[in-house]
PDB file of all heavy atoms in Angstrom:
ATOM      1  N   GLY B 556     -24.312  25.477  -7.549  1.00 96.00           N
ATOM      2  CA  GLY B 556     -25.263  24.366  -7.412  1.00 96.00           C
ATOM      3  C   GLY B 556     -24.582  23.159  -6.811  1.00 96.00           C
ATOM      4  O   GLY B 556     -25.197  22.084  -6.962  1.00 96.00           O
ATOM      5  N   LYS B 557     -23.618  23.352  -6.077  1.00 96.00           N
ATOM      6  CA  LYS B 557     -22.866  22.117  -5.508  1.00 96.00           C
ATOM      7  C   LYS B 557     -23.418  21.759  -4.164  1.00 96.00           C
ATOM      8  O   LYS B 557     -23.788  22.567  -3.409  1.00 96.00           O
ATOM      9  CB  LYS B 557     -21.322  22.453  -5.428  1.00 96.00           C
ATOM     10  CG  LYS B 557     -20.642  22.351  -6.653  1.00 96.00           C
ATOM     11  CD  LYS B 557     -19.185  22.660  -6.319  1.00 96.00           C
ATOM     12  CE  LYS B 557     -18.201  22.221  -7.475  1.00 96.00           C
ATOM     13  NZ  LYS B 557     -16.810  22.417  -7.027  1.00 96.00           N
ATOM     14  N   GLY B 558     -23.372  20.561  -3.870  1.00 96.00           N
ATOM     15  CA  GLY B 558     -23.641  20.022  -2.463  1.00 96.00           C
ATOM     16  C   GLY B 558     -22.382  20.191  -1.549  1.00 96.00           C
ATOM     17  O   GLY B 558     -21.449  20.835  -1.946  1.00 96.00           O
ATOM     18  N   PRO B 559     -22.507  19.689  -0.440  1.00 96.00           N
ATOM     19  CA  PRO B 559     -21.469  19.753   0.584  1.00 96.00           C
ATOM     20  C   PRO B 559     -20.067  19.056   0.102  1.00 96.00           C
ATOM     21  O   PRO B 559     -20.157  18.031  -0.669  1.00 96.00           O
ATOM     22  CB  PRO B 559     -21.940  19.075   1.810  1.00 96.00           C
ATOM     23  CG  PRO B 559     -23.352  18.765   1.540  1.00 96.00           C
ATOM     24  CD  PRO B 559     -23.568  18.745   0.173  1.00 96.00           C
ATOM     25  N   VAL B 560     -19.068  19.433   0.698  1.00 94.00           N
ATOM     26  CA  VAL B 560     -17.722  18.763   0.681  1.00 94.00           C
ATOM     27  C   VAL B 560     -17.731  17.684   1.766  1.00 94.00           C
ATOM     28  O   VAL B 560     -18.044  18.032   2.841  1.00 94.00           O
ATOM     29  CB  VAL B 560     -16.495  19.603   0.704  1.00 94.00           C
ATOM     30  CG1 VAL B 560     -15.172  18.735   0.746  1.00 94.00           C
ATOM     31  CG2 VAL B 560     -16.475  20.626  -0.381  1.00 94.00           C
ATOM     32  N   THR B 561     -17.458  16.415   1.443  1.00 94.00           N
ATOM     33  CA  THR B 561     -17.240  15.370   2.374  1.00 94.00           C
ATOM     34  C   THR B 561     -15.895  14.859   2.281  1.00 94.00           C
ATOM     35  O   THR B 561     -15.131  15.176   1.445  1.00 94.00           O
ATOM     36  CB  THR B 561     -18.334  14.155   1.998  1.00 94.00           C
ATOM     37  OG1 THR B 561     -17.805  13.505   0.978  1.00 94.00           O
ATOM     38  CG2 THR B 561     -19.647  14.690   1.690  1.00 94.00           C
ATOM     39  N   PRO B 562     -15.534  14.048   3.354  1.00 92.00           N
ATOM     40  CA  PRO B 562     -14.184  13.466   3.299  1.00 92.00           C
ATOM     41  C   PRO B 562     -13.929  12.610   2.064  1.00 92.00           C
ATOM     42  O   PRO B 562     -12.743  12.511   1.630  1.00 92.00           O
ATOM     43  CB  PRO B 562     -14.155  12.530   4.481  1.00 92.00           C
ATOM     44  CG  PRO B 562     -15.169  13.093   5.453  1.00 92.00           C
ATOM     45  CD  PRO B 562     -16.291  13.615   4.533  1.00 92.00           C
ATOM     46  N   GLY B 563     -14.962  12.258   1.279  1.00 91.00           N
ATOM     47  CA  GLY B 563     -14.775  11.574   0.060  1.00 91.00           C
ATOM     48  C   GLY B 563     -14.936  12.466  -1.154  1.00 91.00           C
ATOM     49  O   GLY B 563     -14.950  11.995  -2.258  1.00 91.00           O
ATOM     50  N   GLY B 564     -14.849  13.700  -0.930  1.00 92.00           N
ATOM     51  CA  GLY B 564     -15.007  14.719  -2.093  1.00 92.00           C
ATOM     52  C   GLY B 564     -16.329  15.340  -2.137  1.00 92.00           C
ATOM     53  O   GLY B 564     -17.159  15.291  -1.170  1.00 92.00           O
ATOM     54  N   ASP B 565     -16.584  15.888  -3.228  1.00 93.00           N
ATOM     55  CA  ASP B 565     -18.027  16.595  -3.422  1.00 93.00           C
ATOM     56  C   ASP B 565     -19.091  15.504  -3.310  1.00 93.00           C
ATOM     57  O   ASP B 565     -18.932  14.452  -3.879  1.00 93.00           O
ATOM     58  CB  ASP B 565     -18.170  17.288  -4.853  1.00 93.00           C
ATOM     59  CG  ASP B 565     -17.356  18.678  -4.730  1.00 93.00           C
ATOM     60  OD1 ASP B 565     -17.072  19.216  -3.742  1.00 93.00           O
ATOM     61  OD2 ASP B 565     -17.074  19.115  -5.934  1.00 93.00           O
ATOM     62  N   MET B 566     -20.029  15.894  -2.508  1.00 94.00           N
ATOM     63  CA  MET B 566     -21.144  14.826  -2.368  1.00 94.00           C
ATOM     64  C   MET B 566     -21.946  14.647  -3.752  1.00 94.00           C
ATOM     65  O   MET B 566     -22.063  15.721  -4.423  1.00 94.00           O
ATOM     66  CB  MET B 566     -22.042  15.355  -1.309  1.00 94.00           C
ATOM     67  CG  MET B 566     -22.986  14.144  -0.757  1.00 94.00           C
ATOM     68  SD  MET B 566     -24.059  14.698   0.643  1.00 94.00           S
ATOM     69  CE  MET B 566     -25.538  14.475  -0.286  1.00 94.00           C
ATOM     70  N   GLY B 567     -22.309  13.435  -3.955  1.00 92.00           N
ATOM     71  CA  GLY B 567     -23.111  13.256  -5.246  1.00 92.00           C
ATOM     72  C   GLY B 567     -24.644  13.746  -5.100  1.00 92.00           C
ATOM     73  O   GLY B 567     -24.785  14.722  -4.190  1.00 92.00           O
ATOM     74  N   LYS B 568     -25.403  13.224  -5.835  1.00 96.00           N
ATOM     75  CA  LYS B 568     -26.777  13.752  -5.748  1.00 96.00           C
ATOM     76  C   LYS B 568     -27.464  13.725  -4.461  1.00 96.00           C
ATOM     77  O   LYS B 568     -27.364  12.721  -3.683  1.00 96.00           O
ATOM     78  CB  LYS B 568     -27.615  12.929  -6.827  1.00 96.00           C
ATOM     79  CG  LYS B 568     -29.074  13.270  -7.003  1.00 96.00           C
ATOM     80  CD  LYS B 568     -29.676  12.352  -8.110  1.00 96.00           C
ATOM     81  CE  LYS B 568     -31.169  12.593  -8.029  1.00 96.00           C
ATOM     82  NZ  LYS B 568     -31.724  13.809  -7.895  1.00 96.00           N
ATOM     83  N   GLU B 569     -28.014  14.816  -4.114  1.00 98.00           N
ATOM     84  CA  GLU B 569     -28.799  14.912  -2.838  1.00 98.00           C
ATOM     85  C   GLU B 569     -30.035  14.095  -2.898  1.00 98.00           C
ATOM     86  O   GLU B 569     -31.033  14.406  -3.713  1.00 98.00           O
ATOM     87  CB  GLU B 569     -29.025  16.358  -2.560  1.00 98.00           C
ATOM     88  CG  GLU B 569     -29.867  16.577  -1.263  1.00 98.00           C
ATOM     89  CD  GLU B 569     -30.156  17.966  -0.988  1.00 98.00           C
ATOM     90  OE1 GLU B 569     -29.234  18.845  -0.708  1.00 98.00           O
ATOM     91  OE2 GLU B 569     -31.314  18.370  -1.070  1.00 98.00           O
ATOM     92  N   ARG B 570     -30.132  13.093  -2.041  1.00 98.00           N
ATOM     93  CA  ARG B 570     -31.330  12.181  -2.258  1.00 98.00           C
ATOM     94  C   ARG B 570     -32.235  12.456  -0.873  1.00 98.00           C
ATOM     95  O   ARG B 570     -33.392  12.180  -1.071  1.00 98.00           O
ATOM     96  CB  ARG B 570     -30.921  10.707  -2.374  1.00 98.00           C
ATOM     97  CG  ARG B 570     -30.167  10.370  -3.620  1.00 98.00           C
ATOM     98  CD  ARG B 570     -29.813   8.989  -3.619  1.00 98.00           C
ATOM     99  NE  ARG B 570     -30.914   8.106  -3.785  1.00 98.00           N
ATOM    100  CZ  ARG B 570     -30.946   6.834  -3.225  1.00 98.00           C
ATOM    101  NH1 ARG B 570     -29.738   6.390  -2.833  1.00 98.00           N
ATOM    102  NH2 ARG B 570     -31.876   6.086  -3.228  1.00 98.00           N
ATOM    103  N   TYR B 571     -31.544  12.696   0.164  1.00 98.00           N
ATOM    104  CA  TYR B 571     -32.374  12.747   1.345  1.00 98.00           C
ATOM    105  C   TYR B 571     -31.951  13.946   2.176  1.00 98.00           C
ATOM    106  O   TYR B 571     -30.741  14.190   2.411  1.00 98.00           O
ATOM    107  CB  TYR B 571     -32.233  11.508   2.400  1.00 98.00           C
ATOM    108  CG  TYR B 571     -32.492  10.247   1.626  1.00 98.00           C
ATOM    109  CD1 TYR B 571     -31.379   9.477   1.256  1.00 98.00           C
ATOM    110  CD2 TYR B 571     -33.778   9.912   1.292  1.00 98.00           C
ATOM    111  CE1 TYR B 571     -31.486   8.232   0.639  1.00 98.00           C
ATOM    112  CE2 TYR B 571     -34.003   8.722   0.634  1.00 98.00           C
ATOM    113  CZ  TYR B 571     -32.838   7.872   0.280  1.00 98.00           C
ATOM    114  OH  TYR B 571     -33.156   6.691  -0.425  1.00 98.00           O
ATOM    115  N   ARG B 572     -32.853  14.880   2.580  1.00 98.00           N
ATOM    116  CA  ARG B 572     -32.563  15.912   3.362  1.00 98.00           C
ATOM    117  C   ARG B 572     -33.113  15.726   4.843  1.00 98.00           C
ATOM    118  O   ARG B 572     -34.300  15.486   5.167  1.00 98.00           O
ATOM    119  CB  ARG B 572     -33.371  17.163   2.899  1.00 98.00           C
ATOM    120  CG  ARG B 572     -32.881  17.623   1.567  1.00 98.00           C
ATOM    121  CD  ARG B 572     -33.679  18.631   0.812  1.00 98.00           C
ATOM    122  NE  ARG B 572     -33.749  19.960   1.580  1.00 98.00           N
ATOM    123  CZ  ARG B 572     -32.836  20.903   1.497  1.00 98.00           C
ATOM    124  NH1 ARG B 572     -31.749  20.668   0.625  1.00 98.00           N
ATOM    125  NH2 ARG B 572     -32.964  22.004   2.153  1.00 98.00           N
ATOM    126  N   LEU B 573     -32.205  15.708   5.795  1.00 98.00           N
ATOM    127  CA  LEU B 573     -32.504  15.299   7.205  1.00 98.00           C
ATOM    128  C   LEU B 573     -32.263  16.393   8.136  1.00 98.00           C
ATOM    129  O   LEU B 573     -31.406  17.314   8.014  1.00 98.00           O
ATOM    130  CB  LEU B 573     -31.600  14.090   7.628  1.00 98.00           C
ATOM    131  CG  LEU B 573     -31.630  12.899   6.666  1.00 98.00           C
ATOM    132  CD1 LEU B 573     -30.775  11.841   7.297  1.00 98.00           C
ATOM    133  CD2 LEU B 573     -32.990  12.347   6.556  1.00 98.00           C
ATOM    134  N   VAL B 574     -33.062  16.410   9.189  1.00 98.00           N
ATOM    135  CA  VAL B 574     -32.825  17.250  10.452  1.00 98.00           C
ATOM    136  C   VAL B 574     -32.281  16.194  11.400  1.00 98.00           C
ATOM    137  O   VAL B 574     -32.832  15.092  11.644  1.00 98.00           O
ATOM    138  CB  VAL B 574     -34.045  17.877  10.981  1.00 98.00           C
ATOM    139  CG1 VAL B 574     -33.834  18.503  12.391  1.00 98.00           C
ATOM    140  CG2 VAL B 574     -34.495  18.992   9.942  1.00 98.00           C
ATOM    141  N   VAL B 575     -31.149  16.510  12.132  1.00 98.00           N
ATOM    142  CA  VAL B 575     -30.617  15.637  13.081  1.00 98.00           C
ATOM    143  C   VAL B 575     -30.617  16.237  14.491  1.00 98.00           C
ATOM    144  O   VAL B 575     -30.199  17.360  14.681  1.00 98.00           O
ATOM    145  CB  VAL B 575     -29.240  15.248  12.706  1.00 98.00           C
ATOM    146  CG1 VAL B 575     -28.640  14.446  13.814  1.00 98.00           C
ATOM    147  CG2 VAL B 575     -29.166  14.317  11.417  1.00 98.00           C
ATOM    148  N   GLU B 576     -31.048  15.568  15.447  1.00 98.00           N
ATOM    149  CA  GLU B 576     -31.089  15.852  16.857  1.00 98.00           C
ATOM    150  C   GLU B 576     -30.013  15.148  17.539  1.00 98.00           C
ATOM    151  O   GLU B 576     -29.923  13.880  17.388  1.00 98.00           O
ATOM    152  CB  GLU B 576     -32.437  15.638  17.425  1.00 98.00           C
ATOM    153  CG  GLU B 576     -32.568  15.359  18.980  1.00 98.00           C
ATOM    154  CD  GLU B 576     -32.320  16.392  19.883  1.00 98.00           C
ATOM    155  OE1 GLU B 576     -32.332  17.582  19.424  1.00 98.00           O
ATOM    156  OE2 GLU B 576     -32.134  16.092  21.095  1.00 98.00           O
ATOM    157  N   GLY B 577     -29.228  15.768  18.364  1.00 98.00           N
ATOM    158  CA  GLY B 577     -28.170  15.128  19.308  1.00 98.00           C
ATOM    159  C   GLY B 577     -26.812  15.282  18.787  1.00 98.00           C
ATOM    160  O   GLY B 577     -26.660  15.542  17.599  1.00 98.00           O
ATOM    161  N   PRO B 578     -25.920  15.077  19.620  1.00 97.00           N
ATOM    162  CA  PRO B 578     -24.478  15.246  19.211  1.00 97.00           C
ATOM    163  C   PRO B 578     -23.998  14.045  18.333  1.00 97.00           C
ATOM    164  O   PRO B 578     -24.763  13.004  18.244  1.00 97.00           O
ATOM    165  CB  PRO B 578     -23.602  15.154  20.582  1.00 97.00           C
ATOM    166  CG  PRO B 578     -24.744  15.291  21.585  1.00 97.00           C
ATOM    167  CD  PRO B 578     -26.034  14.813  21.123  1.00 97.00           C
ATOM    168  N   PRO B 579     -22.897  14.141  17.685  1.00 97.00           N
ATOM    169  CA  PRO B 579     -22.334  13.059  16.853  1.00 97.00           C
ATOM    170  C   PRO B 579     -21.540  12.125  17.657  1.00 97.00           C
ATOM    171  O   PRO B 579     -21.343  12.273  18.828  1.00 97.00           O
ATOM    172  CB  PRO B 579     -21.553  13.725  15.873  1.00 97.00           C
ATOM    173  CG  PRO B 579     -20.937  14.923  16.557  1.00 97.00           C
ATOM    174  CD  PRO B 579     -22.017  15.210  17.630  1.00 97.00           C
ATOM    175  N   ASN B 580     -21.124  11.029  16.976  1.00 97.00           N
ATOM    176  CA  ASN B 580     -20.103  10.162  17.584  1.00 97.00           C
ATOM    177  C   ASN B 580     -18.741  10.582  16.914  1.00 97.00           C
ATOM    178  O   ASN B 580     -18.703  10.989  15.777  1.00 97.00           O
ATOM    179  CB  ASN B 580     -20.375   8.694  17.115  1.00 97.00           C
ATOM    180  CG  ASN B 580     -19.138   7.807  17.209  1.00 97.00           C
ATOM    181  OD1 ASN B 580     -18.338   7.739  16.463  1.00 97.00           O
ATOM    182  ND2 ASN B 580     -18.920   7.217  18.470  1.00 97.00           N
TER     183      ASN B 580
END
Side-chain angles (χ1 to χ4, degrees):
Chain B
K557 282 184 168 181
V560 174
T561 73
D565 282 342
M566 202 179 107
K568 184 176 163 41
E569 179 184 291
R570 296 178 62 205
Y571 308 106
R572 295 168 66 84
L573 307 179
V574 170
V575 172
E576 147 76 12
N580 162 271

